[in-house]
Amino acid sequence: MKTEQWVKNLEDEGKGLKVAFERNANTLLLKSQTINYQTVRNQTTVVYSGGSYVQDDAERVLVTLNTATGANTIAKLELSNDNPYGRPYVRRMPYSGGAQWMVTFASKYPYAPTNVLFRVLSMIEGTLSTSELSS
Amino acid sequence: MAASDQKLEQQIVALENENRARKASYQIAGGKVSFIRQQSQVWHLVGSNNVPVGLRVKFVPDKVSQDGISLTSLFSQAFYDAALTLPVEDTTSFNEPQTGDGSVVINILSAHVTFTATDYYYRVIATGPSQGTFTLL
């Protein structure tokens, strides 16, 4: 190979690497997925000296994104719900194989399930699922 | 060795080194993406009548990706005083699903379990790939 050609090849490679490496964060690909969820009534029995009563406890749900490659990912959870006074708490959980959040809703009074729309933005594609947690 | 040959050789070495360095750091390229942390102005609300105090704040980034979806995350800070020293513990916030117009909305709620009027001061922190502006909805 001629020296000039060699230099040109190196320069082209460098240019290619630069384009891929120095791209703006705004152009990073984001995969988005949505899933609907309805909370499940979580009743607990409170026992006191004179008897007991049943109350509606907080409703928890695990939102899990399992990435296709099994790798952990930079991800963000967004949600909307029809329970304005429920004050949902969102917490990212330690999870291997993607991303996971635990979301807690206070139950509505008078009782009705809370309808939620979850949306996950992730840098890696995956499958989104929900599972309820009771007390 | 001729002077031009020496120059060419130096150029080759420099290019090789540059490419090698870039390949080595490519694996952690995500860590090199610059994320900007931005603080909003402070909003003052008054809670009363045993009703939770809530507000929604919209953040519009200056630079938006093609599909209008931003990786920007919003966080809330709530305080009882204007000096922002007494945090409101029972406060939650969540990011609402983006509509694709480039904006990100945070929904903030504080428990207000008293009939006494109380001052609340809120501030929003944005972390993301772009600067932007905050608006109270």
Side-chain angles (χ1 to χ4, degrees):
Chain A
M1 185 166 37
K2 274 191 177 165
T3 324
E4 284 80 8
Q5 186 63 40
W6 186 14
V7 173
K8 201 190 165 297
N9 286 352
L10 276 172
E11 275 179 345
D12 287 348
E13 192 189 355
K15 247 177 251 165
L17 282 169
K18 214 173 169 187
V19 167
F21 184 63
E22 288 176 358
R23 64 178 171 182
N24 193 293
N26 280 313
T27 66
L28 289 175
L29 283 177
L30 281 180
K31 317 277 183 189
S32 83
Q33 282 198 69
T34 54
I35 194 166
N36 282 296
Y37 180 76
Q38 189 177 61
T39 59
V40 177
R41 195 171 198 168
N42 185 24
Q43 287 188 312
T44 49
T45 306
V46 180
V47 181
Y48 63 105
S49 57
S52 68
Y53 63 91
V54 173
Q55 68 167 23
D56 290 314
D57 210 347
E59 294 152 355
R60 298 171 197 89
V61 53
L62 276 178
V63 183
T64 311
L65 178 81
N66 281 308
T67 51
T69 55
N72 293 337
T73 174
I74 295 172
K76 184 187 166 201
L77 179 76
E78 301 173 337
L79 69 97
S80 62
N81 69 94
D82 60 356
N83 185 354
Y85 298 122
R87 302 203 316 280
Y89 280 88
V90 181
R91 192 153 67 95
R92 176 104 183 227
M93 306 288 283
Y95 186 72
S96 179
Q100 190 174 61
W101 296 265
M102 186 170 81
V103 187
T104 309
F105 294 92
S107 63
K108 284 182 192 169
Y109 182 81
Y111 185 78
T114 299
N115 295 295
V116 200
L117 170 73
F118 291 114
R119 180 166 192 196
V120 170
L121 299 175
S122 166
M123 291 212 171
I124 307 176
E125 225 163 353
T127 324
L128 193 60
S129 62
T130 52
S131 61
E132 78 196 63
L133 286 172
S134 55
S135 295
Chain B
M1 197 188 282
S4 62
D5 284 354
Q6 211 172 349
K7 212 177 153 197
L8 204 58
E9 207 171 294
Q10 275 174 3
Q11 201 185 342
I12 287 171
V13 170
L15 278 169
E16 277 182 339
N17 284 342
E18 199 186 330
N19 286 358
R20 205 174 295 137
R22 215 164 252 142
K23 276 180 188 165
S25 57
Y26 202 81
Q27 307 295 327
I28 53 155
K32 296 208 162 206
V33 170
S34 74
F35 264 57
I36 298 150
R37 179 190 181 278
Q38 211 184 325
Q39 218 164 268
S40 77
Q41 60 268 45
V42 175
W43 292 284
H44 175 218
L45 271 81
V46 179
S48 61
N49 295 332
N50 211 5
V51 171
V53 182
L55 69 156
R56 287 165 76 232
V57 176
K58 184 158 112 170
F59 176 80
V60 181
D62 296 340
K63 286 185 221 154
V64 184
S65 63
Q66 269 184 343
D67 58 358
I69 300 294
S70 171
L71 193 60
T72 303
S73 286
L74 302 177
F75 303 92
S76 66
Q77 293 184 326
F79 302 92
Y80 287 115
D81 60 329
L84 310 182
T85 56
L86 301 164
V88 183
E89 286 173 7
D90 203 350
T91 298
T92 77
S93 68
F94 55 90
N95 285 234
E96 293 180 3
Q98 294 177 49
T99 51
D101 65 350
S103 65
V104 187
V105 176
I106 187 172
N107 192 316
I108 310 167
L109 278 161
S110 294
H112 179 75
V113 273
T114 167
F115 283 91
T116 316
T118 311
D119 289 326
Y120 290 90
Y121 297 87
Y122 293 94
R123 190 166 66 179
V124 173
I125 309 290
T127 52
S130 169
Q131 283 189 321
T133 45
F134 298 93
T135 355
L136 181 67
L137 296 178

